[in-house]
Amino acid sequence: MIKSMTGYGTAVKDNGKVKYSVEIKSLNSKFLELNLRLPKAVSDKELTLRTECSKLIERGKVNLYVNVEYTDQTAKASTINADLLKKYYTQLQQIAFELGDKQVSLFQMALNMPEVIANNDGEVDEEESKLLLEAFYAAVEQFNIFRADEGAVLSQDLTSRVELILSYLAEVEAVEMDRIPLIRERINHYLEESVGKENVDKNRFEQELIYYIDKLDITEEKVRLRSHCSYFQKALTASDSNGKKLGFISQEMGREINTLGSKANHAGIQQIVVKMKEELEKIKEQLLNVL
């Protein structure tokens, strides 16, 4: 069954110490366009998440948001290297005494010296990493369910439009036999007016008429169009979702419909062909959002 490229999924995982919230949104795109917004604490997992998105999401303009909350707010608090701070402070005091400068805030300067304050937002441990991936996979699962549900709606719409094209094709078949008498009458009338009725070579006229009618025969186009429509419907219900394949088939459908119109030589058929083209354009618009 087909899937939509539009999707949404969210999941939350909490182990009592840390809670990860993952949200995934996507819109249609010819390729996979990933935009990841991760907190600094899990920035080292970006490559892993990108790799998994490439495998599980395939195509679309995707936004992935990760939020982390710690139950113990001090768990990731910055720490101060007290020994290093004291050393810097003592050195600054000595230099200030030698220079006779008593106005400088030595303590603030010492705090700003390298490696005095260490941020505890580096790599997460194995337990937290596992929890993050659990939240990610759960969000992807919801995301794909959303895509499948949207795809089912798209499939119904596409099926109805293909069936409508087939019904128009049946209308063409119902009126196409009216063309031959009209063509014969029109050509005969033209010849009689041009060279006179008595000067028309009936044998030659019949030969030319047969040749002309053969050029306007639309049997092959009807067969191919019906075949393409059948193939399109089978592709819709296939196990894999392949919007590109459906796009190629719709192009072939369009080629046959255009040829029908150019060979019709019949106002009624050309009007029906216009309706076919309208439905095909709607199909192509819908296919832009099929995975």
Side-chain angles (χ1 to χ4, degrees), residues 260-285:
L260 270 176
S262 63
K263 295 174 71 173
N265 200 29
H266 184 280
I269 292 178
Q270 288 172 334
Q271 290 173 3
I272 297 172
V273 166
V274 169
K275 294 179 182 179
M276 287 183 175
K277 289 182 177 180
E278 289 177 351
E279 293 306 317
L280 185 62
E281 283 304 308
K282 293 174 183 176
I283 287 173
K284 290 180 177 180
E285 288 176 8

Side-chain angles (χ1 to χ4, degrees), residues 58-77:
E58 299 179 52
R59 281 200 299 147
K61 187 175 183 180
V62 180
N63 289 308
L64 173 66
Y65 307 97
V66 176
N67 184 54
V68 57
E69 297 178 27
Y70 289 93
T71 303
D72 181 4
Q73 296 297 322
T74 64
K76 291 292 179 178

Side-chain angles (χ1 to χ4, degrees), residues 26 36 73 75 95 139 143 149 163-164 180 220 251 266 269:
S26 74
L36 273 63
Q73 296 297 322
I95 294 171
F143 173 81
D149 291 343
E163 289 175 350
L164 199 51
I180 297 175
E220 289 186 11
Q251 289 178 8
H266 184 280
I269 292 178

Side-chain angles (χ1 to χ4, degrees), residues 164-181:
L164 199 51
I165 289 176
L166 288 171
S167 71
Y168 288 145
L169 183 58
E171 290 182 22
V172 169
E173 292 173 325
V175 301
E176 69 169 313
M177 295 310 297
D178 296 340
R179 293 188 309 155
I180 297 175

Side-chain angles (χ1 to χ4, degrees), residues 125-227:
D125 59 30
E126 184 177 349
E127 181 183 356
E128 290 184 22
S129 179
K130 183 179 178 181
L131 191 68
L132 169 61
L133 290 177
E134 286 178 2
F136 169 73
Y137 289 129
V140 170
E141 183 179 357
Q142 293 301 314
F143 173 81
N144 283 327
I145 290 173
F146 188 102
R147 274 186 158 184
D149 291 343
E150 288 287 303
V153 176
L154 285 172
S155 181
Q156 291 178 357
D157 183 73
L158 291 168
T159 298
S160 66
R161 297 194 184 283
V162 172
E163 289 175 350
L164 199 51
I165 289 176
L166 288 171
S167 71
Y168 288 145
L169 183 58
E171 290 182 22
V172 169
E173 292 173 325
V175 301
E176 69 169 313
M177 295 310 297
D178 296 340
R179 293 188 309 155
I180 297 175
L182 291 172
I183 292 170
R184 174 190 288 273
E185 182 181 347
R186 187 162 62 245
I187 295 176
N188 191 41
H189 180 71
Y190 174 77
L191 288 174
E192 288 179 358
E193 284 190 344
S194 300
V195 300
K197 185 175 182 180
E198 64 281 358
N199 295 321
V200 176
D201 185 336
K202 295 298 182 182
N203 291 329
R204 180 66 181 273
F205 172 71
E206 291 296 333
Q207 290 175 1
E208 294 294 334
L209 182 63
I210 291 171
Y211 175 79
Y212 185 63
I213 291 173
D214 183 62
K215 286 291 184 181
L216 298 179
D217 183 66
I218 58 174
T219 302
E220 289 186 11
E221 286 73 20
K222 292 187 301 178
V223 171
R224 285 196 292 263
L225 178 56
R226 187 171 277 111
S227 175

